[in-house]
Amino acid sequence: MASRAQVSVTAVSKVIRNAYGVSPAMRDRVKTAIEELGYRPQAVARGMRGRTFTIGLMLPHIRNPFFADILDGLTEQLAGTDYRAFMIQGGATRKVERLAVDALIDRQVDGIIMVAPLASKARLEEVAQEKPTVVLARHERSSFYDSVYDDDEAGAELVVKHLIELGHRRIAHITHQDDSQAQPADLLHNIRAATYERVMREHGLADEIAVATSFYHEKGGYEGARELLDRDPRPTAIFAGADQAAFGALAAVYEAGLRVPADVSVAGYDNTHLAALPNITLTSVDQEGSVMGGAAGKLLLERIEGRTSAVRFSVTPSLVVRGSTAPPAS
């Protein structure tokens, strides 16, 4: 390697470790030699010298297409660096999530990105004091880790106002429940549900508030929508707090022999790529998952390089109106 690049062994070591004191020309020669020889430094050995150039990405699960957008943004952010991301599922319980995070730490990743973690703030800060950490989709403030989140209040308000402006009064909402130890006001699904109720009250529709507490997945949306559709009078519009739940709600509406949007309008949240499919055409809130993933990657690299001050990055959502919402039948 050193002879191929025409530099010293020490210089090669410095480039691999991304150490200080290497000129751009020398770094280019060594990297060219690495590519030509197909050299791949052993991750564990690099870790013993200080870094593994790996990032751990913890997702609750891999079923939600919105998480793919986050991963795309993170991958793009890391493309021009020596860092690579490794993904692990946190699962549906705090115990499984803790084991997943511990596994990342044991494998000497240089930093961790956690998406919608269930752990308490104290636990997140404990991890952050051991490894540079960025948390997505939690609204709490901490001086130990960075936060990337969507303005969920603004997004939910866009949806509910859109349905009211179409002429709907009986607007229902499907929210989420989980095993989280976060403060309720810091959880995105609680913020979306509270905003739905606030906007309904502000428009004189307090008596029409109808909430089904289920889960942000297809089965949860299906069951939540069935509960809402069984009410008398049934809602003319359903706002599901996530696209996954909205897909389940669409299935429930069709199973009930009703039409979307002629009988029931349905809206979601996340603007996943499935929402734009012509046989779905779901109205949804776009919270720019790829931007969130890219921002998380950028902030984590800054922390790895030594930044200690906490940063909060917020995405401003927009509403993408498609064919699943329309004025109610007269």
mmCIF file of all heavy atoms in Angstrom, residues 185-219:
data_model
loop_
_atom_site.group_PDB
_atom_site.id
_atom_site.type_symbol
_atom_site.label_atom_id
_atom_site.label_comp_id
_atom_site.label_asym_id
_atom_site.label_seq_id
_atom_site.Cartn_x
_atom_site.Cartn_y
_atom_site.Cartn_z
ATOM 1 N N ALA A 185 -46.392 15.036 26.012
ATOM 2 C CA ALA A 185 -46.399 16.223 25.158
ATOM 3 C C ALA A 185 -45.243 16.249 24.164
ATOM 4 O O ALA A 185 -45.242 17.060 23.234
ATOM 5 C CB ALA A 185 -46.355 17.489 26.016
ATOM 6 N N ASP A 186 -44.255 15.361 24.330
ATOM 7 C CA ASP A 186 -43.101 15.324 23.429
ATOM 8 C C ASP A 186 -43.247 14.288 22.327
ATOM 9 O O ASP A 186 -42.375 14.169 21.463
ATOM 10 C CB ASP A 186 -41.817 15.035 24.213
ATOM 11 C CG ASP A 186 -41.426 16.161 25.146
ATOM 12 O OD1 ASP A 186 -41.636 17.327 24.754
ATOM 13 O OD2 ASP A 186 -40.928 15.888 26.249
ATOM 14 N N LEU A 187 -44.338 13.522 22.345
ATOM 15 C CA LEU A 187 -44.537 12.455 21.373
ATOM 16 C C LEU A 187 -45.349 12.959 20.191
ATOM 17 O O LEU A 187 -46.395 13.595 20.361
ATOM 18 C CB LEU A 187 -45.255 11.276 22.031
ATOM 19 C CG LEU A 187 -44.439 10.553 23.111
ATOM 20 C CD1 LEU A 187 -45.306 9.549 23.845
ATOM 21 C CD2 LEU A 187 -43.226 9.870 22.490
ATOM 22 N N LEU A 188 -44.878 12.644 18.995
ATOM 23 C CA LEU A 188 -45.490 13.203 17.791
ATOM 24 C C LEU A 188 -46.958 12.824 17.646
ATOM 25 O O LEU A 188 -47.780 13.643 17.203
ATOM 26 C CB LEU A 188 -44.698 12.794 16.551
ATOM 27 C CG LEU A 188 -44.580 11.312 16.180
ATOM 28 C CD1 LEU A 188 -45.736 10.841 15.316
ATOM 29 C CD2 LEU A 188 -43.267 11.059 15.445
ATOM 30 N N HIS A 189 -47.325 11.580 18.000
ATOM 31 C CA HIS A 189 -48.732 11.201 17.822
ATOM 32 C C HIS A 189 -49.643 11.945 18.789
ATOM 33 O O HIS A 189 -50.797 12.257 18.444
ATOM 34 C CB HIS A 189 -48.928 9.682 17.962
ATOM 35 C CG HIS A 189 -48.323 9.086 19.182
ATOM 36 N ND1 HIS A 189 -47.025 8.639 19.233
ATOM 37 C CD2 HIS A 189 -48.846 8.838 20.409
ATOM 38 C CE1 HIS A 189 -46.777 8.129 20.416
ATOM 39 N NE2 HIS A 189 -47.857 8.252 21.162
ATOM 40 N N ASN A 190 -49.152 12.261 19.981
ATOM 41 C CA ASN A 190 -49.963 13.052 20.917
ATOM 42 C C ASN A 190 -50.112 14.486 20.434
ATOM 43 O O ASN A 190 -51.178 15.105 20.601
ATOM 44 C CB ASN A 190 -49.325 13.032 22.301
ATOM 45 C CG ASN A 190 -49.462 11.680 22.982
ATOM 46 O OD1 ASN A 190 -50.354 10.911 22.660
ATOM 47 N ND2 ASN A 190 -48.569 11.383 23.913
ATOM 48 N N ILE A 191 -49.049 15.022 19.838
ATOM 49 C CA ILE A 191 -49.112 16.382 19.310
ATOM 50 C C ILE A 191 -50.118 16.454 18.163
ATOM 51 O O ILE A 191 -50.930 17.389 18.078
ATOM 52 C CB ILE A 191 -47.714 16.840 18.834
ATOM 53 C CG1 ILE A 191 -46.760 16.950 20.030
ATOM 54 C CG2 ILE A 191 -47.808 18.173 18.088
ATOM 55 C CD1 ILE A 191 -45.322 17.216 19.645
ATOM 56 N N ARG A 192 -50.089 15.466 17.279
ATOM 57 C CA ARG A 192 -51.027 15.459 16.153
ATOM 58 C C ARG A 192 -52.464 15.315 16.628
ATOM 59 O O ARG A 192 -53.364 15.999 16.122
ATOM 60 C CB ARG A 192 -50.653 14.332 15.182
ATOM 61 C CG ARG A 192 -49.306 14.562 14.501
ATOM 62 C CD ARG A 192 -48.844 13.364 13.682
ATOM 63 N NE ARG A 192 -47.457 13.558 13.245
ATOM 64 C CZ ARG A 192 -46.740 12.660 12.573
ATOM 65 N NH1 ARG A 192 -47.282 11.491 12.261
ATOM 66 N NH2 ARG A 192 -45.491 12.922 12.218
ATOM 67 N N ALA A 193 -52.686 14.450 17.612
ATOM 68 C CA ALA A 193 -54.041 14.263 18.132
ATOM 69 C C ALA A 193 -54.541 15.508 18.850
ATOM 70 O O ALA A 193 -55.698 15.923 18.679
ATOM 71 C CB ALA A 193 -54.075 13.059 19.072
ATOM 72 N N ALA A 194 -53.684 16.114 19.655
ATOM 73 C CA ALA A 194 -54.079 17.327 20.385
ATOM 74 C C ALA A 194 -54.376 18.465 19.414
ATOM 75 O O ALA A 194 -55.305 19.259 19.640
ATOM 76 C CB ALA A 194 -52.970 17.731 21.363
ATOM 77 N N THR A 195 -53.604 18.548 18.338
ATOM 78 C CA THR A 195 -53.835 19.601 17.343
ATOM 79 C C THR A 195 -55.156 19.377 16.626
ATOM 80 O O THR A 195 -55.912 20.330 16.367
ATOM 81 C CB THR A 195 -52.681 19.637 16.337
ATOM 82 O OG1 THR A 195 -51.458 19.865 17.035
ATOM 83 C CG2 THR A 195 -52.894 20.741 15.317
ATOM 84 N N TYR A 196 -55.435 18.138 16.280
ATOM 85 C CA TYR A 196 -56.737 17.806 15.660
ATOM 86 C C TYR A 196 -57.874 18.313 16.541
ATOM 87 O O TYR A 196 -58.808 18.990 16.066
ATOM 88 C CB TYR A 196 -56.828 16.298 15.449
ATOM 89 C CG TYR A 196 -58.248 15.759 15.435
ATOM 90 C CD1 TYR A 196 -59.067 15.925 14.322
ATOM 91 C CD2 TYR A 196 -58.767 15.094 16.556
ATOM 92 C CE1 TYR A 196 -60.370 15.442 14.325
ATOM 93 C CE2 TYR A 196 -60.057 14.607 16.560
ATOM 94 C CZ TYR A 196 -60.867 14.781 15.446
ATOM 95 O OH TYR A 196 -62.154 14.311 15.447
ATOM 96 N N GLU A 197 -57.831 18.001 17.833
ATOM 97 C CA GLU A 197 -58.906 18.413 18.727
ATOM 98 C C GLU A 197 -58.974 19.929 18.863
ATOM 99 O O GLU A 197 -60.062 20.515 18.902
ATOM 100 C CB GLU A 197 -58.726 17.752 20.095
ATOM 101 C CG GLU A 197 -58.863 16.234 20.046
ATOM 102 C CD GLU A 197 -58.889 15.605 21.428
ATOM 103 O OE1 GLU A 197 -59.142 16.338 22.411
ATOM 104 O OE2 GLU A 197 -58.666 14.379 21.522
ATOM 105 N N ARG A 198 -57.797 20.578 18.933
ATOM 106 C CA ARG A 198 -57.788 22.041 19.054
ATOM 107 C C ARG A 198 -58.424 22.709 17.847
ATOM 108 O O ARG A 198 -59.269 23.621 17.987
ATOM 109 C CB ARG A 198 -56.350 22.538 19.221
ATOM 110 C CG ARG A 198 -56.241 24.065 19.188
ATOM 111 C CD ARG A 198 -54.819 24.566 19.365
ATOM 112 N NE ARG A 198 -53.913 24.115 18.317
ATOM 113 C CZ ARG A 198 -53.855 24.654 17.092
ATOM 114 N NH1 ARG A 198 -54.692 25.635 16.746
ATOM 115 N NH2 ARG A 198 -52.971 24.217 16.219
ATOM 116 N N VAL A 199 -58.038 22.279 16.652
ATOM 117 C CA VAL A 199 -58.569 22.900 15.439
ATOM 118 C C VAL A 199 -60.075 22.646 15.324
ATOM 119 O O VAL A 199 -60.833 23.532 14.921
ATOM 120 C CB VAL A 199 -57.816 22.377 14.200
ATOM 121 C CG1 VAL A 199 -58.443 22.943 12.913
ATOM 122 C CG2 VAL A 199 -56.344 22.764 14.267
ATOM 123 N N MET A 200 -60.510 21.460 15.691
ATOM 124 C CA MET A 200 -61.952 21.170 15.658
ATOM 125 C C MET A 200 -62.702 22.116 16.603
ATOM 126 O O MET A 200 -63.745 22.695 16.235
ATOM 127 C CB MET A 200 -62.198 19.714 16.046
ATOM 128 C CG MET A 200 -61.717 18.695 15.039
ATOM 129 S SD MET A 200 -62.734 18.610 13.554
ATOM 130 C CE MET A 200 -64.150 17.679 14.172
ATOM 131 N N ARG A 201 -62.174 22.300 17.808
ATOM 132 C CA ARG A 201 -62.837 23.196 18.762
ATOM 133 C C ARG A 201 -62.837 24.633 18.245
ATOM 134 O O ARG A 201 -63.845 25.349 18.373
ATOM 135 C CB ARG A 201 -62.139 23.122 20.119
ATOM 136 C CG ARG A 201 -62.397 21.814 20.879
ATOM 137 C CD ARG A 201 -61.952 21.956 22.337
ATOM 138 N NE ARG A 201 -60.518 22.252 22.427
ATOM 139 C CZ ARG A 201 -59.569 21.331 22.514
ATOM 140 N NH1 ARG A 201 -59.906 20.047 22.531
ATOM 141 N NH2 ARG A 201 -58.302 21.671 22.600
ATOM 142 N N GLU A 202 -61.730 25.070 17.677
ATOM 143 C CA GLU A 202 -61.631 26.444 17.172
ATOM 144 C C GLU A 202 -62.636 26.719 16.053
ATOM 145 O O GLU A 202 -62.996 27.875 15.809
ATOM 146 C CB GLU A 202 -60.212 26.714 16.684
ATOM 147 C CG GLU A 202 -59.188 26.818 17.808
ATOM 148 C CD GLU A 202 -57.759 26.953 17.300
ATOM 149 O OE1 GLU A 202 -57.540 26.838 16.073
ATOM 150 O OE2 GLU A 202 -56.865 27.184 18.125
ATOM 151 N N HIS A 203 -63.071 25.678 15.378
ATOM 152 C CA HIS A 203 -64.038 25.857 14.286
ATOM 153 C C HIS A 203 -65.449 25.441 14.703
ATOM 154 O O HIS A 203 -66.313 25.190 13.853
ATOM 155 C CB HIS A 203 -63.586 25.064 13.057
ATOM 156 C CG HIS A 203 -62.429 25.679 12.340
ATOM 157 N ND1 HIS A 203 -61.125 25.558 12.791
ATOM 158 C CD2 HIS A 203 -62.368 26.451 11.213
ATOM 159 C CE1 HIS A 203 -60.315 26.202 11.968
ATOM 160 N NE2 HIS A 203 -61.035 26.754 11.018
ATOM 161 N N GLY A 204 -65.686 25.404 16.022
ATOM 162 C CA GLY A 204 -67.015 25.121 16.514
ATOM 163 C C GLY A 204 -67.457 23.680 16.326
ATOM 164 O O GLY A 204 -68.663 23.402 16.277
ATOM 165 N N LEU A 205 -66.505 22.766 16.233
ATOM 166 C CA LEU A 205 -66.820 21.368 15.958
ATOM 167 C C LEU A 205 -66.467 20.455 17.136
ATOM 168 O O LEU A 205 -66.190 19.262 16.956
ATOM 169 C CB LEU A 205 -66.091 20.896 14.696
ATOM 170 C CG LEU A 205 -66.400 21.692 13.417
ATOM 171 C CD1 LEU A 205 -65.530 21.200 12.264
ATOM 172 C CD2 LEU A 205 -67.882 21.574 13.063
ATOM 173 N N ALA A 206 -66.487 20.986 18.335
ATOM 174 C CA ALA A 206 -66.116 20.190 19.513
ATOM 175 C C ALA A 206 -66.995 18.961 19.660
ATOM 176 O O ALA A 206 -66.514 17.885 20.061
ATOM 177 C CB ALA A 206 -66.206 21.056 20.771
ATOM 178 N N ASP A 207 -68.289 19.077 19.320
ATOM 179 C CA ASP A 207 -69.203 17.941 19.467
ATOM 180 C C ASP A 207 -68.944 16.853 18.429
ATOM 181 O O ASP A 207 -69.470 15.734 18.554
ATOM 182 C CB ASP A 207 -70.651 18.408 19.353
ATOM 183 C CG ASP A 207 -71.080 19.280 20.528
ATOM 184 O OD1 ASP A 207 -70.400 19.223 21.569
ATOM 185 O OD2 ASP A 207 -72.067 20.026 20.390
ATOM 186 N N GLU A 208 -68.165 17.169 17.412
ATOM 187 C CA GLU A 208 -67.898 16.205 16.338
ATOM 188 C C GLU A 208 -66.559 15.476 16.525
ATOM 189 O O GLU A 208 -66.201 14.623 15.721
ATOM 190 C CB GLU A 208 -67.893 16.912 14.972
ATOM 191 C CG GLU A 208 -69.136 17.716 14.664
ATOM 192 C CD GLU A 208 -70.379 16.837 14.493
ATOM 193 O OE1 GLU A 208 -70.220 15.605 14.380
ATOM 194 O OE2 GLU A 208 -71.486 17.381 14.476
ATOM 195 N N ILE A 209 -65.838 15.814 17.578
ATOM 196 C CA ILE A 209 -64.540 15.174 17.807
ATOM 197 C C ILE A 209 -64.728 13.676 18.045
ATOM 198 O O ILE A 209 -65.536 13.268 18.883
ATOM 199 C CB ILE A 209 -63.813 15.820 19.002
ATOM 200 C CG1 ILE A 209 -63.385 17.247 18.641
ATOM 201 C CG2 ILE A 209 -62.600 14.988 19.416
ATOM 202 C CD1 ILE A 209 -62.782 18.027 19.803
ATOM 203 N N ALA A 210 -63.996 12.871 17.279
ATOM 204 C CA ALA A 210 -64.070 11.406 17.409
ATOM 205 C C ALA A 210 -62.667 10.849 17.194
ATOM 206 O O ALA A 210 -62.095 11.017 16.107
ATOM 207 C CB ALA A 210 -65.043 10.821 16.396
ATOM 208 N N VAL A 211 -62.121 10.194 18.208
ATOM 209 C CA VAL A 211 -60.748 9.681 18.145
ATOM 210 C C VAL A 211 -60.752 8.184 18.405
ATOM 211 O O VAL A 211 -61.354 7.708 19.376
ATOM 212 C CB VAL A 211 -59.845 10.381 19.178
ATOM 213 C CG1 VAL A 211 -58.429 9.786 19.137
ATOM 214 C CG2 VAL A 211 -59.799 11.885 18.924
ATOM 215 N N ALA A 212 -60.072 7.457 17.542
ATOM 216 C CA ALA A 212 -59.847 6.028 17.752
ATOM 217 C C ALA A 212 -58.371 5.844 18.092
ATOM 218 O O ALA A 212 -57.492 6.241 17.309
ATOM 219 C CB ALA A 212 -60.210 5.232 16.502
ATOM 220 N N THR A 213 -58.091 5.285 19.241
ATOM 221 C CA THR A 213 -56.705 5.046 19.653
ATOM 222 C C THR A 213 -56.302 3.642 19.239
ATOM 223 O O THR A 213 -56.832 2.652 19.741
ATOM 224 C CB THR A 213 -56.548 5.206 21.176
ATOM 225 O OG1 THR A 213 -56.954 6.533 21.547
ATOM 226 C CG2 THR A 213 -55.104 4.984 21.592
ATOM 227 N N SER A 214 -55.370 3.585 18.297
ATOM 228 C CA SER A 214 -54.950 2.296 17.755
ATOM 229 C C SER A 214 -53.440 2.311 17.573
ATOM 230 O O SER A 214 -52.712 2.663 18.499
ATOM 231 C CB SER A 214 -55.682 2.032 16.429
ATOM 232 O OG SER A 214 -55.432 0.731 15.972
ATOM 233 N N PHE A 215 -52.955 1.971 16.372
ATOM 234 C CA PHE A 215 -51.517 1.944 16.115
ATOM 235 C C PHE A 215 -51.223 2.502 14.728
ATOM 236 O O PHE A 215 -52.056 2.419 13.818
ATOM 237 C CB PHE A 215 -50.958 0.507 16.204
ATOM 238 C CG PHE A 215 -51.126 -0.113 17.562
ATOM 239 C CD1 PHE A 215 -52.225 -0.920 17.835
ATOM 240 C CD2 PHE A 215 -50.204 0.127 18.568
ATOM 241 C CE1 PHE A 215 -52.390 -1.483 19.088
ATOM 242 C CE2 PHE A 215 -50.369 -0.426 19.827
ATOM 243 C CZ PHE A 215 -51.464 -1.235 20.086
ATOM 244 N N TYR A 216 -50.012 3.020 14.563
ATOM 245 C CA TYR A 216 -49.591 3.558 13.276
ATOM 246 C C TYR A 216 -49.075 2.442 12.352
ATOM 247 O O TYR A 216 -47.927 2.435 11.929
ATOM 248 C CB TYR A 216 -48.482 4.590 13.478
ATOM 249 C CG TYR A 216 -48.952 5.989 13.843
ATOM 250 C CD1 TYR A 216 -48.022 6.993 14.109
ATOM 251 C CD2 TYR A 216 -50.296 6.329 13.916
ATOM 252 C CE1 TYR A 216 -48.410 8.276 14.442
ATOM 253 C CE2 TYR A 216 -50.695 7.611 14.257
ATOM 254 C CZ TYR A 216 -49.751 8.587 14.515
ATOM 255 O OH TYR A 216 -50.139 9.874 14.848
ATOM 256 N N HIS A 217 -49.924 1.473 12.064
ATOM 257 C CA HIS A 217 -49.610 0.498 11.035
ATOM 258 C C HIS A 217 -50.922 0.104 10.355
ATOM 259 O O HIS A 217 -52.009 0.559 10.763
ATOM 260 C CB HIS A 217 -48.856 -0.719 11.580
ATOM 261 C CG HIS A 217 -49.448 -1.382 12.782
ATOM 262 N ND1 HIS A 217 -50.770 -1.812 12.847
ATOM 263 C CD2 HIS A 217 -48.908 -1.718 13.974
ATOM 264 C CE1 HIS A 217 -51.012 -2.378 14.006
ATOM 265 N NE2 HIS A 217 -49.894 -2.324 14.734
ATOM 266 N N GLU A 218 -50.843 -0.721 9.284
ATOM 267 C CA GLU A 218 -52.030 -1.003 8.493
ATOM 268 C C GLU A 218 -53.153 -1.631 9.319
ATOM 269 O O GLU A 218 -54.317 -1.230 9.220
ATOM 270 C CB GLU A 218 -51.680 -1.925 7.315
ATOM 271 C CG GLU A 218 -50.902 -1.246 6.208
ATOM 272 C CD GLU A 218 -49.400 -1.360 6.422
ATOM 273 O OE1 GLU A 218 -48.971 -1.702 7.559
ATOM 274 O OE2 GLU A 218 -48.651 -1.112 5.466
ATOM 275 N N LYS A 219 -52.806 -2.604 10.146
ATOM 276 C CA LYS A 219 -53.823 -3.245 10.967
ATOM 277 C C LYS A 219 -54.448 -2.248 11.939
ATOM 278 O O LYS A 219 -55.666 -2.232 12.142
ATOM 279 C CB LYS A 219 -53.227 -4.421 11.732
ATOM 280 C CG LYS A 219 -54.246 -5.176 12.578
ATOM 281 C CD LYS A 219 -53.610 -6.335 13.335
ATOM 282 C CE LYS A 219 -54.635 -7.062 14.199
ATOM 283 N NZ LYS A 219 -53.999 -8.164 14.986
#
